[in-house]
Amino acid sequence: MKEYLLKQAKEVLYNNFQKKGFTIPSENLYPFQWKWDSGFIAIGYAHFDIEKAKKEIETILSAQWQNGFIPHIVFHNRSDSYFPGPEVHQSKLSKHASKKYASSGITQPPVFGFVLEKLYQICPDKKNILTFIESQINKVYKNHVYFYFNRDIKDEGLVYIYHNWEAGTDNSPLWDDIWETMDPPDYHFKRKDTQHVDPSQRPTKREYDNYIYLIEIAKKYQYDDKKIAANSPFLVQDPLFNSILIRSNQALIELYKIIGGNDKKVTFLEEKQAKSIKSLNTKLFDENLGAYIHYDLRNKRSLALISSSSFTPLFCGAPDVKIAKKLISTFVEKFGGENNYLCASFDPTNIRFNPKKYWRGPVWINLNWILYNGFKKYGYHELAKRIKEDSIELIVKEGFYEYFDPRKGISDLQKIGYGGNNFSWTAALLIDLLNDSY
Ligand code: DGY
């Protein structure tokens, strides 16, 4: 069974691999290179084709902007199966943008620090992989410096996102309260996603108006971070994004220590790390809810809602034992019912929960992988085992889908996942989970 699953997963990745040296997340639906996807994909490749893992990272980092920014989509190739494409994003408006590749001007969680570390751990030929890491690590470091200098406007160690697509959790109910404050034009555009996927599983037209409006504002200011920070109606400190930054800081510190030298970089990262962890725990942990929550900088308020992102600080090691205990008890109470697969992307007890609609409730394998590693780190063995087994079971029963219905009865009856099929990170992270002997 394990061998058969691994073979299938490898096929998904190889079929999605493009001649230009990167792997699309899913045919038609996502026909370019996506930032955090490429990180998870590289982890999968590392188990059986290290050259492809390296290529994936090298290709995305080759599109880094001069100021250290890494875009969430790189348009290495042409395709008319996706909206919004390069003509909407117009990265060339920014004076920092890559001269070589068109891209978006928004980013995604900074996964590459921990991805490089994973590659180091997985690859048996340490000398070989370290040479590769040495060739790429300063780009990742530069990306972290970019975040701290441009996105941490209060100098508190927490960086902001200015678009829901930067969070990765695209249409989460978390953002509903922000949409309430906005009134974008009723744009005329042709959605492509709803031609590939049942529209009931995708965001609404009005949500897309918000998404495009935020991009138009950023374009109006030539993607200048200071002007975006001053003017964007969407300015949020996200626990998922910041936990990934912290986890990657730690990985960069460890890797620089293995490489040797680089003392100034290590000192910079260590200073930021201490501040980031402190602020994550003081500003984003809500004692009453027993969970980490988002902070809306623009409207100066907490977004008191619980999602799978609320538990991702376990992945970066920020919570102390007391906070971790509280967090786990909230997790079990809200998400852990035996009729649910782990882990719904949004609080199943909340009225805004929708088990079919993208990030409003379905299970996502990348979040499961992050939580799995977090539970392991803190010694919550039963939960770690359960989330790993649920992930594998969903893929075995339903296929390599983008997301899955968390309701066991419904999910088992439908026997099919949601969104894009043959989804690359689902395959890649399954490979990592199956190779994990824990
Ligand atoms: C999409 O188009 O849904 C993507 O997630 C945006 O990055």
Side-chain angles (χ1 to χ4, degrees), residues 181-217:
T181 69
M182 289 168 49
D183 187 21
D186 181 9
Y187 292 110
H188 294 282
F189 48 69
K190 201 156 169 229
R191 294 270 293 272
K192 301 286 174 75
D193 57 321
T194 43
Q195 293 173 5
H196 312 304
V197 170
D198 178 346
S200 70
Q201 298 166 18
R202 293 288 304 177
T204 62
K205 156 76 169 66
R206 198 61 188 141
E207 283 171 308
Y208 259 73
D209 284 336
N210 287 314
Y211 306 170
I212 299 303
Y213 184 53
L214 292 174
I215 293 174
E216 291 304 330
I217 292 171

Side-chain angles (χ1 to χ4, degrees), residues 159-433:
V159 304
Y160 74 75
I161 53 172
Y162 83 83
H163 197 291
N164 52 302
W165 281 341
E166 294 202 312
T169 54
D170 297 5
N171 69 335
S172 173
L174 292 159
W175 321 130
D176 292 1
D177 296 317
I178 301 178
W179 307 146
E180 287 284 312
T181 69
M182 289 168 49
D183 187 21
D186 181 9
Y187 292 110
H188 294 282
F189 48 69
K190 201 156 169 229
R191 294 270 293 272
K192 301 286 174 75
D193 57 321
T194 43
Q195 293 173 5
H196 312 304
V197 170
D198 178 346
S200 70
Q201 298 166 18
R202 293 288 304 177
T204 62
K205 156 76 169 66
R206 198 61 188 141
E207 283 171 308
Y208 259 73
D209 284 336
N210 287 314
Y211 306 170
I212 299 303
Y213 184 53
L214 292 174
I215 293 174
E216 291 304 330
I217 292 171
K219 279 160 63 180
K220 182 172 154 199
Y221 297 111
Q222 293 86 38
Y223 290 113
D224 179 298
D225 289 302
K226 277 206 179 69
K227 291 182 184 156
I228 290 172
N231 294 289
S232 178
F234 188 113
L235 214 68
V236 171
Q237 290 166 324
D238 174 3
L240 169 62
F241 198 101
N242 280 284
S243 295
I244 288 184
L245 180 66
I246 293 170
R247 178 68 192 80
S248 282
N249 280 337
Q250 197 56 45
L252 292 180
I253 293 168
E254 304 302 334
L255 289 172
Y256 274 133
K257 285 186 176 162
I258 295 171
I259 292 167
N262 296 289
D263 294 352
K264 278 198 183 131
K265 293 187 184 116
V266 171
T267 306
F268 174 84
L269 288 168
E270 283 175 343
E271 278 172 23
K272 291 298 175 191
Q273 185 73 331
K275 200 178 226 177
S276 295
I277 290 175
K278 188 160 177 252
S279 294
L280 186 71
N281 287 336
T282 47
K283 188 169 182 186
L284 299 190
F285 185 70
D286 184 307
E287 282 283 341
N288 294 328
L289 290 177
Y292 290 84
I293 55 172
H294 293 65
Y295 188 80
D296 174 356
L297 283 165
R298 175 60 62 236
N299 301 294
K300 299 192 178 62
R301 59 180 174 175
S302 293
L303 300 172
L305 292 162
I306 302 176
S307 67
S308 50
S309 303
S310 300
F311 308 97
T312 56
L314 293 168
F315 177 64
C316 71
D320 61 22
V321 176
K322 205 168 135 235
I323 294 184
K325 220 169 149 193
K326 244 190 166 155
L327 208 53
I328 293 295
S329 115
T330 311
F331 182 84
V332 171
E333 185 199 322
K334 297 263 183 199
F335 294 73
E338 57 185 32
N339 295 328
N340 286 337
Y341 281 113
L342 293 181
C343 170
S345 46
F346 189 71
D347 180 357
T349 66
N350 188 290
I351 183 114
R352 296 182 186 178
F353 172 72
N354 179 337
K356 287 178 72 156
K357 215 172 178 57
Y358 208 35
W359 286 95
R360 300 184 76 87
V363 174
W364 287 77
I365 300 301
N366 66 332
L367 258 293
N368 273 14
W369 183 90
I370 288 172
L371 294 176
Y372 168 68
N373 282 291
F375 295 148
K376 258 184 14 179
K377 194 189 274 280
Y378 282 80
Y380 288 99
H381 307 296
E382 283 305 309
L383 279 180
K385 190 164 167 269
R386 188 174 154 198
I387 201 162
K388 175 175 171 176
E389 285 175 358
D390 281 4
S391 306
I392 297 171
E393 186 176 328
L394 279 166
I395 297 169
V396 168
K397 285 185 172 163
E398 305 183 22
F400 290 91
Y401 275 88
E402 187 182 5
Y403 43 100
F404 302 89
D405 201 308
R407 299 166 300 175
K408 276 195 175 156
I410 304 289
S411 217
D412 292 351
L413 208 68
Q414 291 182 160
K415 297 193 182 64
I416 188 161
Y418 299 138
N421 194 0
N422 297 320
F423 196 75
S424 291
W425 81 32
T426 302
L429 295 176
L430 176 74
I431 293 171
D432 190 60
L433 288 173

Side-chain angles (χ1 to χ4, degrees), residues 22-33:
F22 68 96
T23 307
I24 54 169
S26 180
E27 204 181 347
N28 294 324
L29 187 60
Y30 306 115
F32 308 110
Q33 187 176 33

